[in-house]
Amino acid sequence: MRSIRFFLIASILAVITLCNFVAALQGYRASLEEAEQLFDRQLYQTVELITNLHTGHFESRLPHQGDLAYQVWHNDKLVALSSASLTTPITDFSPGFGHANFDGYRWRTLVHYDNTHDNWVIAAERTDLRYMLAESVITQAVLPILLGIPLAGLLIWLIVSRGLKPLRDLSGQLKNKQANDLTPVEIPELKSELAQVYHSINALMRRLGTALDREKRFTADAAHELRTPISALKVQLHNLREELPAENQAFAELEAGVERMQHLVEQLLSLYRSTPEEFSRNFTHLNLYQLAQDVIATQHDDFEKKQQVLELEGEECLVEGDPFALATLLQNLLSNANKYTPEGGSVRVTAEPVGNHVCLKVEDSGPGIAPTDYGKVFERFQRLNRKREVAATQGCGLGLTIVRHIADLHHARASIAPSSFDSGAAFIILFKKAEENEHR
Amino acid sequence: MSIVNMLRNKPLLMIIGVCALWANASAAGTPVIEIRIKDHLFFPETVQIPVNTKVKLMVINEDATPEEFESYELNREKVIPGNHKAVIFVGPLPPGEYPFFGEFYPKTAQGKVVVKP
Amino acid sequence: MLLNSVVLILQEILEAALLVSVLMAFTRVINLRVYWLAGGIGLGCIGSLILSLNMVTISEWFDYVGQEVVNASLQFAITLVLALLTLLYSLKTPATLKWLPFCMTLAVACSLTREGSEIFIYIEGVLSQPPHIRPTLTGSGIGAGIGISVGVLLYYGLLGLPQHWIIYSCLLLLAIIAGNMSAQAAVLLIQADWLSSSIVLWNSSNWLPENSIPGHLLYALIGYEATPSLLQGLAYGAGILSVLMAWSLGRICNKATP
């Protein structure tokens, strides 16, 4: 992933380096040119001095420094020279500046013709020395620009990091948010660029939260409101049964329909009964094996009707939870197994500790579920294809959603696997062991 | 995959071509001109070569430091290690002046090839 | 010394930086990892050390033109690797795409070996002369700074283009680099007298001399020469064509076997 920070640091530093260095280079060239001109003027003055000294035609030697050589020629005869100089002309007799190599060095030369005395004056200065002097001065000026770049880099890094902090904070807040946490993100000292982002996120959170709340409240209220008329209906049904013949088909279906409606309403109510916080306040220690025994006892008749074998395996295992909710969970799993297992099939319930967890497993020998459908099973009103085979079964498609909801409330994980029978599915709920919860 | 193979064969073809040209070129007797580098200076500073003739410049570096013979006008560039020599072929060239310099010490190491008819 | 070392280092660094930036942008746009770069730089450093330490021996090969031959081989190798890279990319099969990082490593390693060895030889020579050290190192720092900065800006510049242009720009630049490399290799072989010299195509040294700043920049970026020879021009064209043809060849093969 490309980082904004890295991009900013690298490109800003590159631009600064480029501009500064090119500017420094330009400065260096200009200064060096200036220095060259200065040295040339100096050489010119030297030549003038020599010219004025050699007005007569006599041979002479002036004291000289190692970096300066000169010759005075009169009528092709060398009449004056510095000690280090050649005895042949240093360069051609053409007036002006030039370059020549002798004595193992390269020299800047100046030829001057003194027409009043018919003298050729040639002076030469070592280029390496004059150049080195100029260069060391200019390098001193350029070096700080070079050394300033790492410092600039460090400062840019700090500034860019500081500038991007609000963005990092926001993404940190969003990252730490739980999936179902719809509280607004905290707004720190607001930056104008991010104001809209914060406002939009919080407005979105608020709208989403309100919408979810409304949905929950509506379902719960509706379910609650529906209870009374259903109870009234059931009383009326009871009364009606007395007056009707025993084997009335329409009546039986009416009764089954009302039964189903009541079931649906009860499920909805238990699904939205309370918030997770309120819910976990009522947790108690309970023995899951014991609970399974109790639930099986109440539902035994359903299995008897379909001649199914129902077994319970496992041992005592403690979890923390709400007895009523866990009983609902198990009831749902059992009725689900009961529904989808054909007559004469088997259902096995297992409750046992596994490592740090407690595993509750309900396996059936029904048609099973395709692995690709595992994800869908816990969704609301989801009734997979296998339902058709047993069209007569009563259900509303909420049972497994409630199972997952209850599992979530207990911080347990619900999953599906193939059962250990020849065919069928296994519903596995993995709880944390109660002891562990106590330590916290 | 055959295209990949074709491409792999390309360097071989090129080497064969290059070798053929090489044999062709080195057959002729090429005049040799010596240039010495000492104290970051070229000796001689001016090299005369005949017009429209290929010559072999034998550059002998007598300094301990390496030098790079470079000329924009001649399109030549070659590193000469300290106390070693190198061969650079130049020409055939039309008449004119072709400056060259030592890229490592350009302030002092300056010279030119002069081609005269 | 300072200006001179700037020019020398800048030219070498710029050539390598151009190749690296284009390949990095290419890597980004086809969603590969840039790990290959570390390998290329590592191999390049080792290669340039070996080359510079053995420069004395190498320059005596083939009757004192070993240096030209070795450098020209490295440059031809870059041209070929870039053409191969383009072909492998345009074929777009998993088997060929797998080899892309390898090609990029190889191209960068070849480039750095050549550029790096010249820098090593230069710096090593200067270090033996104390008065030159400071200006040379300052100049080298400036040259390297400018070269790397241009590379960084080119990289972000390429990535800043519209998505579908990036890949074409990268391929075009790779073609230019390949042309530049093969032209330089041709010049070296002419210098070594392995190829015969030919007529000069044009002379633009009056209005854009090679030893001006834009001249140096253009030389490093697109291989500008004020007086190119015919053979050099042909080699340049061949280098560009090899990449462009590899690209169209790959596309044709790709369409033939859908």
Side-chain angles (χ1 to χ4, degrees):
Chain A
M1 224 186 310
R2 263 185 264 156
S3 138
I4 298 180
R5 182 160 70 156
F6 192 77
F7 160 71
L8 285 177
I9 295 171
S11 48
I12 292 175
L13 200 57
V15 169
I16 289 183
T17 308
L18 202 59
C19 295
N20 271 356
F21 284 10
V22 170
L25 219 53
Q26 209 51 43
Y28 171 89
R29 271 160 66 114
S31 313
L32 207 61
E33 234 164 71
E34 197 66 39
E36 293 267 320
Q37 279 174 12
L38 191 74
F39 283 126
D40 278 352
R41 271 202 297 279
Q42 222 170 35
L43 189 63
Y44 185 78
Q45 281 162 6
T46 311
V47 167
E48 268 190 338
L49 182 70
I50 295 167
T51 311
N52 291 337
L53 282 173
H54 292 273
T55 47
H57 302 154
F58 52 87
E59 295 197 16
S60 73
R61 267 165 204 257
L62 288 179
H64 86 294
Q65 300 116 336
D67 57 346
L68 185 78
Y70 72 89
Q71 295 176 329
V72 182
W73 293 80
H74 180 73
N75 290 336
D76 291 343
K77 244 182 73 193
L78 187 60
V79 293
L81 76 163
S82 59
S83 59
S85 185
L86 297 170
T87 49
T88 52
I90 291 173
T91 183
D92 304 336
F93 289 109
S94 49
F97 288 100
H99 286 282
N101 292 0
F102 62 89
D103 257 9
Y105 296 108
R106 190 165 178 83
W107 303 75
R108 176 70 163 167
T109 58
L110 176 60
V111 180
H112 178 70
Y113 177 61
D114 176 13
N115 47 11
T116 50
H117 304 99
D118 189 25
N119 278 346
W120 284 94
V121 179
I122 308 173
E125 212 175 13
R126 267 174 62 184
T127 47
D128 55 334
L129 292 180
R130 58 164 24 193
Y131 185 71
M132 211 179 282
L133 181 66
E135 172 148 76
S136 69
V137 172
I138 303 164
T139 307
Q140 296 289 359
V142 170
L143 197 59
I145 299 176
L146 187 70
L147 298 180
I149 289 297
L151 186 67
L154 185 72
L155 290 176
I156 290 170
W157 181 68
L158 288 174
I159 291 168
V160 167
S161 302
R162 179 70 191 81
L164 289 177
K165 193 171 173 290
L167 209 55
R168 258 200 329 279
D169 287 348
L170 174 61
S171 67
Q173 274 199 52
L174 292 178
K175 192 178 155 194
N176 291 334
K177 252 187 182 324
Q178 299 287 334
N180 53 1
D181 175 9
L182 293 175
T183 54
V185 286
E186 268 175 55
I187 302 180
E189 179 203 350
L190 204 48
K191 301 278 182 283
S192 57
E193 288 87 349
L194 280 179
Q196 192 53 49
V197 178
Y198 270 104
H199 289 322
S200 297
I201 288 178
N202 282 346
L204 198 66
M205 291 280 191
R206 243 189 336 267
R207 279 209 300 278
L208 201 61
T210 324
L212 282 182
D213 271 352
R214 203 184 306 129
E215 185 203 314
K216 269 188 201 166
R217 212 175 317 118
F218 171 78
T219 324
D221 288 355
H224 192 77
E225 292 299 318
L226 283 170
R227 253 180 165 176
T228 327
I230 289 172
S231 303
L233 264 180
K234 288 194 90 169
V235 173
Q236 297 306 323
L237 274 176
H238 186 79
N239 296 339
L240 204 57
R241 188 188 291 145
E242 316 272 284
E243 294 165 24
L244 282 172
E247 292 298 319
N248 188 314
Q249 182 64 26
F251 180 78
E253 272 178 31
L254 182 63
E255 200 172 24
V258 172
E259 196 70 38
R260 191 149 57 224
M261 202 198 310
Q262 188 187 19
H263 182 67
L264 173 66
V265 168
E266 290 303 325
Q267 295 280 35
L268 282 175
L269 273 176
S270 67
L271 190 55
Y272 295 107
R273 200 184 302 275
S274 50
T275 65
E277 290 76 27
E278 286 173 57
F279 194 77
S280 56
R281 234 176 275 142
N282 305 325
F283 277 10
T284 53
H285 269 66
L286 55 94
N287 181 349
L288 204 57
Y289 186 81
Q290 178 70 47
L291 185 88
Q293 267 181 339
D294 296 347
V295 174
I296 285 172
T298 61
Q299 288 200 302
H300 204 259
D301 290 349
D302 298 339
F303 289 86
E304 203 97 290
K305 266 185 224 159
K306 290 182 84 176
Q307 288 121 42
Q308 289 162 338
V309 184
L310 177 60
E311 20 179 343
L312 174 64
E313 285 183 0
E315 53 188 274
E316 293 227 328
C317 41
L318 288 177
V319 295
E320 260 192 36
D322 178 62
F324 178 76
L326 288 181
T328 312
L329 178 145
L330 197 52
Q331 272 160 16
N332 280 341
L333 284 178
L334 282 176
S335 63
N336 189 64
N338 172 249
K339 260 182 249 168
Y340 294 114
T341 308
E343 296 207 358
S346 334
V347 174
R348 185 190 299 138
V349 181
T350 317
E352 59 185 3
V354 178
N356 276 333
H357 293 89
V358 170
C359 174
L360 175 71
K361 191 156 64 175
V362 178
E363 298 169 278
D364 62 51
S365 66
I369 301 167
T372 45
D373 287 336
Y374 282 178
K376 288 191 223 157
V377 168
F378 290 114
E379 279 169 31
R380 279 176 211 193
F381 304 107
Q382 202 40 256
R383 301 176 73 173
L384 298 171
N385 286 345
R386 64 181 192 160
K387 184 73 200 171
R388 274 183 227 129
E389 300 161 23
V390 267
T393 19
Q394 155 196 9
C396 53
L398 266 180
L400 289 176
T401 311
I402 289 166
V403 165
R404 218 240 314 245
H405 186 69
I406 294 173
D408 286 347
L409 289 173
H410 287 82
H411 307 290
R413 245 184 50 219
S415 59
I416 309 168
S419 80
S420 58
F421 296 110
D422 289 341
S423 64
F427 291 84
I428 301 162
I429 318 290
L430 215 54
F431 295 92
K432 278 196 183 128
K433 238 185 192 167
E435 286 86 359
E436 208 185 30
N437 285 350
E438 256 179 347
H439 287 308
R440 286 195 181 170
Chain B
M1 273 329 272
S2 66
I3 302 120
V4 177
N5 283 334
M6 253 171 63
L7 270 175
R8 284 202 181 124
N9 286 335
K10 218 170 150 188
L12 186 68
L13 285 173
M14 204 140 51
I15 287 168
I16 293 170
V18 163
C19 288
L21 278 165
W22 178 40
N24 213 3
S26 50
T30 318
V32 181
I33 292 173
E34 248 186 41
I35 301 175
R36 288 173 186 279
I37 301 172
K38 194 163 174 9
D39 298 326
H40 313 308
L41 294 172
F42 286 112
F43 296 101
E45 204 183 342
T46 307
V47 180
Q48 294 244 358
I49 69 168
V51 74
N52 289 330
T53 317
K54 181 166 70 194
V55 296
K56 184 173 167 180
L57 296 180
M58 176 70 88
V59 186
I60 303 163
N61 186 359
E62 293 179 356
D63 288 335
T65 52
E67 182 55 280
E68 185 171 65
F69 180 96
E70 167 132 20
S71 167
Y72 295 118
E73 285 74 8
L74 296 167
N75 287 342
R76 292 294 179 264
E77 186 174 5
K78 180 160 187 169
V79 174
I80 306 146
N83 291 319
H84 267 269
K85 58 180 179 177
V87 165
I88 299 160
F89 286 88
V90 173
L93 292 168
E97 282 193 3
Y98 302 86
F100 60 82
F101 61 98
E103 200 178 6
F104 292 173
Y105 303 95
K107 274 288 150 179
T108 50
Q110 300 262 4
K112 60 186 175 210
V113 170
V114 177
V115 183
K116 277 187 182 159
Chain C
M1 288 311 286
L2 189 143
L3 193 62
N4 170 48
S5 46
V6 170
V7 168
L8 203 132
I9 302 287
L10 177 58
Q11 219 167 60
E12 310 299 336
I13 297 268
L14 207 52
E15 269 185 51
L18 177 69
L19 181 67
V20 169
S21 311
V22 174
L23 287 180
M24 270 176 71
F26 186 72
T27 309
R28 277 280 187 228
V29 80
I30 60 174
N31 278 325
L32 285 177
R33 297 285 198 151
V34 287
Y35 293 144
W36 58 265
L37 184 63
I41 290 177
L43 281 177
C45 286
I46 295 170
S48 56
L49 239 126
I50 293 174
L51 191 60
S52 56
L53 291 179
N54 295 297
M55 192 44 96
V56 170
T57 326
I58 289 169
S59 49
E60 283 174 4
W61 288 354
F62 306 106
D63 205 14
Y64 292 101
V65 292
Q67 209 185 104
E68 281 92 338
V69 177
V70 169
N71 283 345
S73 318
L74 284 170
Q75 282 166 323
F76 271 132
I78 295 173
T79 307
L80 288 178
V81 170
L82 291 184
L84 185 65
L85 178 88
T86 315
L87 180 68
L88 291 179
Y89 167 70
S90 58
L91 283 173
K92 285 203 168 95
T93 64
T96 57
L97 290 180
K98 200 176 64 188
W99 287 97
L100 290 184
F102 174 75
C103 286
M104 296 198 245
T105 305
L106 202 62
V108 170
C110 285
S111 170
L112 287 185
T113 297
R114 206 180 57 81
E115 320 285 3
S117 69
E118 203 171 317
I119 295 175
F120 271 132
I121 290 174
Y122 175 59
I123 301 283
E124 198 202 344
V126 166
L127 286 183
S128 63
Q129 295 166 295
H132 290 321
I133 292 178
R134 186 198 280 251
T136 304
L137 292 187
T138 308
S140 306
I142 291 178
I146 295 177
I148 293 171
S149 299
V150 170
V152 168
L153 293 179
L154 178 73
Y155 169 72
Y156 283 119
L158 277 173
L159 289 184
L161 291 174
Q163 193 71 17
H164 56 284
W165 282 12
I166 302 179
I167 199 79
Y168 293 114
S169 314
C170 285
L171 286 171
L172 186 69
L173 286 171
L174 286 181
I176 290 173
I177 295 172
N180 187 2
M181 288 296 130
S182 80
Q184 285 188 25
V187 172
L188 286 174
L189 291 182
I190 294 171
Q191 175 174 316
D193 202 26
W194 279 36
L195 292 175
S196 40
S197 185
S198 54
I199 52 162
V200 169
L201 278 183
W202 69 74
N203 187 346
S204 52
S205 52
N206 282 332
W207 53 277
L208 185 52
E210 263 180 72
N211 58 349
S212 61
I213 285 189
H216 284 302
L217 278 176
L218 282 178
Y219 172 79
L221 293 176
I222 59 165
Y224 170 75
E225 288 266 10
T227 52
S229 67
L230 177 65
L231 206 61
Q232 197 179 343
L234 289 179
Y236 198 101
I240 288 185
L241 274 182
S242 68
V243 169
L244 296 183
M245 276 168 67
W247 164 248
S248 37
L249 207 66
R251 294 196 54 149
I252 292 165
C253 288
N254 223 9
K255 271 183 191 153
T257 53

